[in-house]
Amino acid sequence: MFSATPTGPAMAEPGQDDAAEDRIEHLADEFAARLRNGARVTVDEVVAAHPDLPSRLREVLQTVLAVESLKVRHLAMHPEPRLPSDRRLGDFRIVREVGRGGMAIVYEAVQESLARVVALKVLPQTAFLDDEQVVRFQNEARIVSRLWHPHIVPVHTVGVDAGVHFFAMPLIAGVGLDRVVRAMQESRCRDGAPLDPTVAAVLAHLDRGEPAQPSFWLRLAKIGADFADAIEHAHCHGVIHRDVKPSNLLLEADGKAWVSDFGIAKCLDQERATRTGQMLGTLHYVPPEQFDGIYDARGDVYGLGLSLLELGGGATTWPGGSIPALVEHIRRGVPHTLRQICRGAPRDLSLVLQKATACNPSERYVSAAEFAADLRRFAAGRPILARSASVAARLLFWCRRNRLAAVCAAASVLAIGAASLAGWGAFWVTDRALGAQHAANARARTSLDAARRATHRAEANLELALESYDEVFRQITGGVGFAATKDDASTLPLVSNREHELLQAVLSFYESFASTNADHPRLRRAAAGAFARAGDIRRWNGDPDGARAAYVRAVEFHERVESWARDDAWVLAMASMRAGQALVSDDAFAALADLESVRLLLERRVSADAASELAAELVRLCNTIGVVSLRSSPLASGQVHPYLDWCQRTAVLAHERAVAVAQCLVAADPSALDSVLLLARSLRLLAHARLCGPSPAAASLDNVADSLDLLEAMSRAWPGTLRCRVEWIDACSLAARHGVHGFGCGRLTQSLAEARDLVVLRPGLPEFEELLARVLRRSGEVAASSGQAAAALASFDECGGVLAALWQRFPRAEHHLQELLQVRFAQANVLRDNGDPAQAMLLLEQVLDLAEATRSPTVALGARAIDRELLSLCVELGDDEAAERVRHRAIDRNRGRFGSFRPR
Amino acid sequence: MQRDVTPFAGRTPAEELVRVFTDDRERLRRVVMVRLDAGLRGRVDVDDVLQEAFLAASTRLKHFRPERCAVMFVWVRMVVMQTIVDLARRHLGARKRGGGREVALTEVVDDQGSSFRLLQEMCARVTSPTRAAARAEDSTRLIASIAGMSDTDREILLLRHFEELSNGEVAEVLGLQKAAATNRYLRAMTRLHDVLGNPDGPRHG
């Protein structure tokens, strides 16, 4: 309604400003008042009557018109239709009001000439703001009244009497799916209000059951197919519903389906819609493409699919929130499949609904007929067509499920750039790698070649592809729960098998990208980055050799960047590459030397301005140095060994530096949560490193105390910050473990309870389970050192259980196993001290079985310590045979790895 | 202390209060309809709210300062708003039985957010069951555009077009000069026009 107007100057000449403004305001007020009174007045009339006023008048009046009609439609504030005193409209006698919408009032009425009961929808006078709209409405109603289908609520009559517009429909004894879904939701809460008898009857007919019965899914499919048939029928007659939503899909008590309100919505707003591309329809069921002004038959398929999904799951789809947020959610796509809402739902039905509600219309059923056919195929137990949903679609779906707005944005840009080969080449690679997995390596390579060739053709698109892959990568690796902030490289992201599968696809893309573009001067840095990511992925996959090779190449290409182009970003990238490399290195000395060299680079740049991303990176790097050097001493505490001693001292020095830099960061901006957390974490790591030494200094306890002070101040400044709470639990339990003043058993119990709360709060989030395991281990250690064997064993046992479960879930994150080894070791010690060496042996042998399944050098070191412990247990038990067995087992395992190693 | 000069055409404040509740009843009803939480709309009658507001206004009449507030309607409107907030608080407290949408207490009480909530409700209402049989048209884009306006612009728009207040009354409610209120109103409308005219959709923020 606005596009036709050329926008005039926003302000009139300065001298006339106030007077003109007053007049415009006055005219706008008058115009609004006349609209409210139902008078027929147009913008053109008013503008024509005041030719001397600036064009702003038209803009304001148009906006007044839009806002006034919006109010009429949405707030039900329009004056009640002035019904004649005898409550008759033409042939109809009104009996009672049955419903009221933002737009119209529905009455039960009797059509006297035919003596039939009808539903009479009466529109307010202000519903039509001009005559043209009245004509459109009547035309549309006429077309709709020609739709004749067993599942479409027909329109009997359209009429106008005494200035009141209305139309008559049969009175359906049914309820909208929205009420059914709501009743399902409420019944789950167990204290819902008594049900409306019709709703209750419909629910009884559907007989969902808890959990849902197989017969329910068949009924759902059948009803869905009926709805789809009705919609298809209308489509064939050129009528698009445009507002398919649960409240327009009615069910009678016997399960008969009705689609109501055909085309009426459309006609009232169509004029506007076609002229300005404005949107129609209820926001919750609006297909994503409608926000771009696109709507066709597939939009109706989406609305029906989403409504059926809600009926099946018994819950509404979108979370509450502001309108912009809702629009964002919708654009990202339906967040879950039927099976994710409802575990027992049939896979095929879930796939059918997933296809119907696909974010991209081209991935949906082309027509309602196809949708109906697939639903019927499912109901008949025949194979469905949606099963062959492409892997690319699954990738997209995965992205959506993880709420990756950015990924989807990038991915849809990719999809839009479909014409460009490069985009599709890259997609194809993903597709292949996901679908064919290992078996189709050869074919995947061909597709990589295709992508490579495409690369040369369209470099820009490739960069786009790289960006979107980077986003996928970041989201998988950094998006795990609260750990989204960048931590030091020692914290591994924990990836599930499904994400692992996806990472493989990303990996093949990176590798092909890197090897193709490494010589391209402009893309060299990007290629180095891609190698580094490939290294990261290989590292998490438990492929240290592959990772090492990738990192070496990453560093190699990164170093080829000319020295003048080595900016801060270059140094940051180098730091993260070296950190990754160090973590897979089998030569701790070499790794630490590399890390030290990067650290020098960073140090040189940091000195000038302490508060920068570089400084933060320096802190992280120092922490990585500390963690790496400490990691190479697997069962450090209590053992004295020159190498271990050196490791521990290096770690302490590194963490001390981290603390110093972090303190500068905090001093520069005490309100930056990230800096404060970084400092708290560095303090805790420093304390931990110091405590690992042979003679823990009292200063280390001060570090923990400092860390705790910080954290407590932070909790006050940012109450409810999860990261803060997590760090606090960690530091608090560490303090309690080492007897920091004021942190006794009470605090330990408190942190244990909090850790448990966290696990309950976010079940399945590995970081919290790791934390719980750490706290449990510390409680066990405290109990053991105070002679409470039973309590210690219980804590260790639970801790071992948590770690074992974690290791099973994330077989690639070996530090769980390493910790499990340590915990079992401690547990065995308690058992031994309490006179149960046989049980201790059993425990150690079990954990050794686990350790032998991996090839990690640090785990092997842990296993070695366990060998030693086992041997001494054998000696204690006087069981020479067992001792011999243990010795042989150790020699077998370590042959080749440690050469002449021979346990004493 | 000069009670002889009454600003209400010779009426006492008490008489004027009665007049506002009689003559401006429709407008006050509209205030309630615009500002009342959607979850409460089914439970409390608009006229009950007004009755309660009238009682509250009568007891608080001694606090009414004609020199501060020239139009009594504006003061009464404020009392009505306060009544609505109190009602929401009271009903939400007793809402454990369920039956309504979950609305956080802050959402209801937070006055700043009230105009924004109204827009959210516009969308939510369309799916409410009592309206299932009737069609509610949705100019979604317009709603989104209004939602994206600045707080002041949005409030002016709601006061002018949803509560149907006059320019002078808006000026009093917002504590502005009349000319400034005019200026702001026109600016808000022009901005909204610009946003709607932009084919890329509403700009937020």
Side-chain angles (χ1 to χ4, degrees), chain A residues 2 5 7 21-22 24-25 28-29 32 36 56 59-60 62-64 66-68 70-71 73-77 98-104 106 121 178-179 182 186 191 241 243 245 247-248 260-262 264-265 268-269 272 276-286 291 321-324, chain B residues 29-30 33-34 41 96-101 116 118-120 122-144 146-148 157 160-167 178-179 182-190 192-194 196-197 199-201 204:
Chain A
F2 301 118
T5 325
T7 6
E21 283 212 337
D22 275 350
I24 294 176
E25 190 276 326
D29 202 32
R36 287 168 198 156
R56 195 180 184 193
E59 293 173 11
V60 170
Q62 279 172 336
T63 316
V64 168
V67 173
E68 284 291 323
L70 177 78
K71 173 180 64 181
R73 275 162 207 186
H74 284 276
L75 288 182
M77 290 206 299
V98 290
R100 190 176 275 249
M103 169 59 203
V106 182
K121 199 174 241 190
D178 58 327
R179 289 179 67 187
R182 234 167 57 117
E186 278 169 9
D191 60 347
H241 193 296
D243 195 14
K245 61 183 179 187
S247 57
N248 282 336
S260 79
D261 274 7
F262 250 106
I264 313 292
L268 285 175
D269 257 336
R272 236 165 277 176
T276 63
Q278 216 180 3
M279 297 187 313
L280 310 168
T282 308
L283 201 52
H284 292 79
Y285 303 91
V286 157
F291 297 109
S322 68
I323 291 166
Chain B
R29 282 177 59 95
R30 203 166 292 119
M33 286 161 92
V34 171
R41 226 166 270 145
K96 287 193 189 111
R97 283 164 284 131
R101 301 177 306 120
F116 200 74
L118 172 82
L119 291 161
Q120 294 178 15
M122 283 191 197
C123 273
R125 286 161 61 87
V126 182
T127 52
S128 84
T130 47
R131 277 132 184 130
R135 162 163 308 283
E137 298 318 321
D138 207 14
S139 299
T140 322
R141 184 172 152 161
L142 182 57
I143 297 180
I146 298 177
L157 189 120
R160 285 296 296 256
H161 288 286
F162 286 75
E163 291 192 22
E164 299 180 8
L165 262 56
S166 74
N167 189 52
K178 272 191 189 182
T182 304
N183 188 292
R184 280 201 173 179
Y185 166 67
L186 291 182
R187 217 168 50 202
M189 294 302 266
T190 316
L192 187 59
H193 182 275
D194 288 348
L196 286 171
D200 299 334
H204 298 294

Side-chain angles (χ1 to χ4, degrees), chain A residues 326-506:
Chain A
L326 180 60
V327 172
E328 247 339 278
H329 281 298
I330 294 172
R331 276 184 186 273
R332 269 181 237 157
V334 176
H336 37 235
T337 63
L338 181 59
R339 268 171 80 85
Q340 281 163 346
I341 312 166
C342 189
R343 282 224 174 142
R347 188 181 137 80
D348 279 2
L349 182 60
S350 179
L351 281 173
V352 169
L353 295 184
Q354 196 180 327
K355 186 171 167 76
T357 53
C359 197
N360 183 345
S362 65
E363 288 163 23
R364 278 177 224 146
Y365 291 103
V366 195
S367 65
E370 278 200 13
F371 186 20
D374 236 10
L375 283 169
R376 293 218 162 85
R377 270 185 216 109
F378 160 75
R382 280 182 286 135
I384 54 160
L385 294 182
R387 202 182 254 287
S388 55
S390 77
V391 184
R394 270 195 282 148
L395 173 69
L396 274 173
F397 183 76
W398 180 90
C399 295
R400 263 174 244 136
R401 189 176 57 88
N402 285 274
R403 307 204 171 96
L404 312 180
V407 181
C408 281
S412 60
V413 171
L414 262 177
I416 290 163
S420 76
L421 278 169
W424 279 117
F427 243 76
W428 196 33
V429 174
T430 315
D431 205 81
R432 274 277 173 271
L434 261 176
Q437 291 185 343
H438 307 297
N441 266 344
R443 265 184 302 156
R445 230 167 278 133
T446 352
S447 56
L448 288 183
D449 286 340
R452 219 170 288 159
R453 263 176 268 123
T455 305
H456 290 299
R457 257 171 266 152
E459 204 176 90
N461 277 321
L462 200 74
E463 280 186 313
L464 190 65
L466 184 67
E467 270 170 34
S468 44
Y469 275 100
D470 274 354
E471 194 55 43
V472 172
F473 175 84
R474 261 199 297 282
Q475 293 291 344
I476 298 172
T477 57
V480 192
F482 71 97
T485 52
K486 203 171 152 202
D487 225 321
D488 54 77
S490 60
T491 46
L492 285 177
L494 301 170
V495 290
S496 68
N497 285 330
R498 192 159 172 197
E499 287 161 340
H500 172 67
E501 203 177 302
L502 200 85
L503 271 180
Q504 292 311 305
V506 180

